[in-house]
Amino acid sequence: MASIKLEQLTKRFGKVVAVNNLNLEVKDGEFIALLGPSGCGKTTTLLMIAGIYRPTQGKIYFDDVLVNDVAPKDRYVGLVFQSYALYPHMKVYDNIAFPLKLAKVPRKEIDRKVYEVAKLTKIEELLDRMPGQLSGGQQQRVALCRALVKEPEILLLDEPLSNLDARLRIETRAEIKRLQRELGITTILVTHDQVEALTMSERVAVMHAGVLQQYGPPDELYDRPRNLFVASFIGDPPMNLIPVELERTDGRLRLVADSFVLPLAEEWENMLGQIPEASFTLGVRPEDVRISTEEKANALLGEVFLTEPLGGGTLVHFMFGEISFRVLASREIKMDVGDKFWLVPDQSKLHIFTKDGLSVREVGRRDAQ
Amino acid sequence: MFLLPGILLIFLFFLAPVVITAVMGFTNMDYRFQWNFVGFGNFFRMSDDFLVPKILVNTLVYTFGTLAIFNVTFGLILALLTTSISERVGLFFRALWLLPRFTPPVVYAAIWLWILSPTRNGLLNGLRVAMGLNPIAWISEYPWGVIIVTNGIIGASMGMLIFASAIKAIPRDYLWAARVDGASWFQEVRHIVLPLIRWPLMFITAYQTLSLLTSYEYILLITQGGPFHASEVWSLYAYNKAFSAYAGTYEFGYAAALATVLVLIGTVASIAYWKMFRFREMMAPPRIEVS
Ligand SMILES: Nc1ncnc2c1ncn2[C@@H]1O[C@H](COP(=O)(O)OP(=O)(O)O)[C@@H](O)[C@H]1O
Ligand SMILES: [Mg+2]
């Protein structure tokens, strides 16, 4: 197994900057995810690690060894393409055996290894078929087998689940996680699906327009998004994001937008006090708001506009003038359109972003450094 | 009913000439254009014609030599090389190789006559002389080589074009996957590219076989089939029998019989190719998602 280190990695295609100054470390045996919307440079990053693309700038290290000039075949990397890229003219067996044949592994050994990985992913009975005769889920397994059969040090998965239907996706998610843990192989999963990233990996790197936004464990991304992009991209249902003005009345700070007026707790005084501007974006996760029938401190009075039952709970939309505010309520509370409730956001879980989209917490931390 | 005009056209332009040729092959028609049927006379004459075995060998060597060395292999090499360098440079080289196709055959032949001239003014002999070697009468010494090279250089461009576009149509993921799997450039070509361009390969092989069997214009212009029939191929022989007056008569009947045999050879070759490639057909139609 190997650790990976990317240093100021940049890839340009003509004028397009696909990956911009990316710094990233993956520990030996770690499972990380590259998460971001389509076109943000995830596949390009993966292909640079695999040695298919040559970086325009920057360095790639495996176990502290510079591999920029190492050919793909000498990188000991297994890669599952988004398209699976199973060779259409070879049987499943030959697809999986291909890397071993090229490495001149003896026939018997090839046989043993192919059956071994086929068993691992439960596709033994498919070995005689052509790829065109397989379903998407089966093709995905075969591609995984082909990547694993040469016992690579690093496993790269490019949107391995995106071609599967919803139920199969959940099963396969767990299975890939299990495989990764059993084999202890350093793994990078590329995905645009935040649930996939958060559930499968130990750390998630969020990318946007070729730039790394934040890299950390799922909890950290969820609890302390560093900027607006991460805040809006992570979380389902998504975070409420409201452009607000900071006002001081009677010595207390309040965030105001239209008829939405949220008094802030003392703890925010320090952080916001340092910032000269008055316009911010407030972020509140729907699950971080308590609903009460009685007036509370630092609460707002809202009227139910719409309810969406989600099975486990209810997503309730409140309107404050033009501003819609979604709250996740437990099913026990009975709510009808037009009912009024006090909404109490958890002050310690508020997210406040500057005009540049940076979290106020980050601004404080950066100034302290 | 709607098909009738089409069928008529097909008959007029494609079938009729073959039928007329075949029928003419059973006459001893000459410059007087009389349909005197002589049964299998022309075919008996062919089996007694002392030149026919020589010409048959010439034809096979020319057709399959040019095919194997140039039209398929060299065309493939050109396609592989020009698709693995940068797009613009590749395009330039392919265009360059295509130039002779736009050149009138007479000019192309004249250039070769200069290159191969037995005098010291020819290009090759000029070089030999400059290196202190004696000039060589290329055409008399190497008649087979000459007709293969001169036809091959121009013939390779068609394979090159078809193969290049087929190679470019291969999804990049397959080639990248092979590279990650540990394939060298040669292994990539052998295990991925060639199997995936099997159909264009078959098409070019079959098409070029037929076109080489029937083409003789460059041979006529460069070697005239000589020396002493050493580079005369079947189609040129038929042409000579029909139109060249060196026998004193225009032997349309005999020429038509020769042409009929050529059509038969071509048909047999096509069927053989079909069987050969069909045999290895194994790509199954894809199935939709079920799981
Ligand atoms: N081979 C290429 N040539 C030109 N542009 C490319 C190429 N590959 C990717 N790009 C561009 O680089 C950006 C990142 O692409 P990609 O890495 O495929 O994104 P993702 O995998 O995150 O969807 C996109 O804008 C894409 O159009
Ligand atoms: Mg991608």
Side-chain angles (χ1 to χ4, degrees):
Chain A
M1 306 303 124
S3 63
I4 305 170
K5 189 163 76 183
L6 309 181
E7 247 179 40
Q8 306 186 338
L9 201 62
T10 298
K11 179 71 186 176
R12 288 195 205 94
F13 297 105
K15 284 205 180 107
V16 180
V17 186
V19 176
N20 196 351
N21 198 17
L22 175 63
N23 292 289
L24 198 74
E25 282 190 50
V26 187
K27 291 186 217 127
D28 190 356
E30 196 178 16
F31 189 158
I32 74 137
L34 278 185
L35 173 65
S38 168
C40 73
K42 307 179 298 288
T43 299
T44 305
T45 305
L46 222 55
L47 290 175
M48 282 194 281
I49 296 173
I52 299 292
Y53 285 152
R54 170 172 287 276
T56 312
Q57 264 161 43
K59 294 183 172 128
I60 302 173
Y61 297 92
F62 291 173
D63 275 339
D64 298 318
V65 178
L66 185 69
V67 295
N68 280 40
D69 295 321
V70 176
K73 70 188 176 79
D74 300 321
R75 292 199 185 192
Y76 305 101
V77 161
L79 175 54
V80 174
F81 287 81
Q82 183 169 11
S83 65
Y84 305 143
L86 298 179
Y87 311 124
H89 55 288
M90 294 184 199
K91 285 185 174 174
V92 168
Y93 179 95
D94 296 311
N95 260 283
I96 300 173
F98 191 59
L100 301 179
K101 279 183 187 156
L102 294 177
K104 304 226 157 47
V105 174
R107 244 207 145 67
K108 274 213 177 117
E109 186 86 356
I110 293 182
D111 227 36
R112 190 179 60 73
K113 289 192 169 174
V114 169
Y115 280 101
E116 203 176 285
V117 279
K119 213 166 128 191
L120 206 61
T121 53
K122 306 187 189 81
I123 54 158
E124 299 108 303
E125 71 283 6
L126 303 178
L127 289 173
D128 268 338
R129 302 233 197 126
M130 299 303 288
Q133 299 171 304
L134 303 180
S135 72
Q138 292 168 330
Q139 289 187 14
Q140 191 263 349
R141 280 152 198 265
V142 176
L144 195 60
C145 279
R146 191 177 64 189
L148 288 175
V149 77
K150 55 184 172 178
E151 295 162 20
E153 312 225 309
I154 292 166
L155 180 62
L156 306 174
L157 307 168
D158 194 356
E159 313 245 6
L161 310 180
S162 63
N163 298 333
L164 308 183
D165 64 48
R167 197 176 50 83
L168 197 61
R169 203 177 302 175
I170 294 172
E171 279 173 27
T172 315
R173 224 156 65 190
E175 205 168 299
I176 290 181
K177 204 169 161 178
R178 170 183 67 84
L179 269 176
Q180 192 272 339
R181 205 171 299 148
E182 268 174 35
L183 303 172
I185 186 169
T186 312
T187 302
I188 300 184
L189 167 83
V190 157
T191 177
H192 64 266
D193 180 346
Q194 48 136 347
V195 180
E196 227 166 271
L198 298 179
T199 54
M200 290 172 77
S201 54
E202 295 162 60
R203 283 197 286 173
V204 180
V206 181
M207 288 180 74
H208 176 48
V211 178
L212 179 66
Q213 306 291 310
Q214 188 168 358
Y215 183 35
D219 285 350
E220 188 184 305
L221 296 187
Y222 190 83
D223 295 337
R224 313 184 125 241
R226 268 182 54 189
N227 60 33
L228 255 179
F229 179 81
V230 178
S232 64
F233 200 74
I234 291 197
D236 184 34
M239 188 185 275
N240 293 292
L241 291 168
I242 304 165
V244 289
E245 296 294 321
L246 183 67
E247 284 178 7
R248 186 180 290 274
T249 352
D250 312 331
R252 296 233 14 220
L253 287 176
R254 314 199 298 176
L255 294 175
V256 181
D258 217 333
S259 60
F260 180 96
V261 179
L262 178 67
L264 286 179
E266 295 270 328
E267 54 187 282
W268 287 100
E269 187 86 31
N270 282 339
M271 274 187 268
L272 290 172
Q274 309 168 346
I275 300 168
E277 27 188 284
S279 299
F280 295 90
T281 302
L282 168 69
V284 187
R285 294 203 185 278
E287 56 270 40
D288 292 339
V289 181
R290 225 154 28 84
I291 294 178
S292 168
T293 46
E294 293 146 33
E295 181 165 4
K296 291 272 155 75
N298 300 339
L300 326 100
L301 186 63
E303 187 180 320
V304 176
F305 178 73
L306 181 84
T307 59
E308 282 179 72
L310 295 180
T314 310
L315 192 64
V316 190
H317 296 242
F318 293 89
M319 288 303 279
F320 296 89
E322 289 290 291
I323 289 161
S324 140
F325 190 72
R326 297 173 308 276
V327 176
L328 195 62
S330 77
R331 277 190 304 189
E332 280 85 78
I333 309 174
K334 172 133 176 42
M335 294 187 151
D336 287 313
V337 173
D339 289 356
K340 293 199 167 175
F341 291 93
W342 288 94
L343 309 177
V344 198
D346 184 338
Q347 291 275 335
S348 67
K349 291 183 177 169
L350 294 181
H351 306 274
I352 301 176
F353 302 95
T354 64
K355 262 213 302 262
D356 304 332
L358 206 63
S359 169
V360 166
R361 289 196 180 94
E362 286 299 316
V363 176
R365 182 146 36 145
R366 196 184 283 177
D367 291 349
Q369 277 170 358
Chain B
M1 278 309 281
F2 302 113
L3 289 176
L4 205 61
I7 292 171
L8 227 86
L9 274 176
I10 288 175
F11 183 78
L12 202 66
F13 287 105
F14 297 96
L15 232 44
V18 176
V19 173
I20 292 171
T21 307
V23 173
M24 206 191 284
F26 291 93
T27 71
N28 66 356
M29 184 183 291
D30 56 16
Y31 64 95
R32 286 164 300 191
F33 291 104
Q34 282 162 336
W35 294 81
N36 294 329
F37 285 90
V38 293
F40 284 92
N42 285 326
F43 297 91
F44 291 135
R45 180 178 159 194
M46 221 180 288
S47 66
D48 289 338
D49 190 334
F50 75 100
L51 272 177
V52 160
K54 183 173 183 56
I55 283 171
L56 188 65
V57 172
N58 285 348
T59 306
L60 293 178
V61 169
Y62 161 70
T63 303
F64 292 102
T66 312
L67 195 67
I69 300 169
F70 283 99
N71 291 9
V72 174
T73 311
F74 197 58
L76 184 64
I77 291 171
L78 283 174
L80 287 168
L81 291 180
T82 57
T83 48
S84 56
I85 54 182
S86 94
E87 176 74 9
R88 212 172 298 162
V89 182
L91 202 67
F92 173 75
F93 274 107
R94 284 201 295 276
L96 199 68
W97 210 270
L98 217 54
L99 267 181
R101 290 249 177 221
F102 303 124
T103 319
V106 182
V107 176
Y108 179 75
I111 292 171
W112 275 108
L113 284 175
W114 167 63
I115 293 173
L116 300 171
S117 166
T119 71
R120 34 184 68 224
N121 298 328
L123 177 68
L124 288 182
N125 281 332
L127 290 174
R128 281 184 67 87
V129 169
M131 291 189 299
L133 300 165
N134 286 326
I136 291 179
W138 298 100
I139 294 176
S140 332
E141 292 280 334
Y142 306 105
W144 281 356
V146 167
I147 59 174
I148 288 177
V149 170
T150 53
N151 277 281
I153 294 284
I154 197 167
S157 61
M158 170 145 181
M160 172 191 75
L161 274 193
I162 303 277
F163 297 149
S165 62
I167 290 169
K168 282 198 287 186
I170 297 176
R172 289 178 308 180
D173 282 9
Y174 292 146
L175 306 177
W176 287 345
R179 245 168 264 178
V180 172
D181 283 346
S184 64
W185 186 77
F186 277 108
Q187 289 169 321
E188 203 179 302
V189 168
R190 181 164 121 57
H191 295 292
I192 312 294
V193 175
L194 289 187
L196 290 181
I197 61 167
R198 207 172 74 232
W199 287 109
L201 271 173
M202 177 197 125
F203 169 73
I204 288 294
T205 307
Y207 181 89
Q208 295 281 27
T209 304
L210 298 184
S211 91
L212 282 169
L213 276 176
T214 55
S215 77
Y216 56 86
E217 55 270 45
Y218 295 118
I219 302 178
L220 179 66
L221 289 168
I222 294 171
T223 72
Q224 286 90 40
F228 303 112
H229 306 284
S231 61
E232 182 150 8
V233 296
W234 200 276
S235 52
L236 181 58
Y237 189 55
Y239 164 85
N240 279 334
K241 283 290 165 213
F243 296 109
S244 124
Y246 73 70
T249 52
Y250 291 89
E251 299 178 275
F252 293 122
Y254 188 43
L258 286 166
T260 306
V261 170
L262 198 60
V263 169
L264 283 178
I265 294 175
T267 311
V268 169
S270 307
I271 293 171
Y273 284 132
W274 178 253
K275 287 249 144 99
M276 227 156 72
F277 284 91
R278 191 58 198 243
F279 177 64
R280 300 206 29 193
E281 166 70 297
M282 45 186 193
M283 258 187 276
R287 262 190 228 164
I288 39 167
E289 177 96 355
V290 274
S291 55

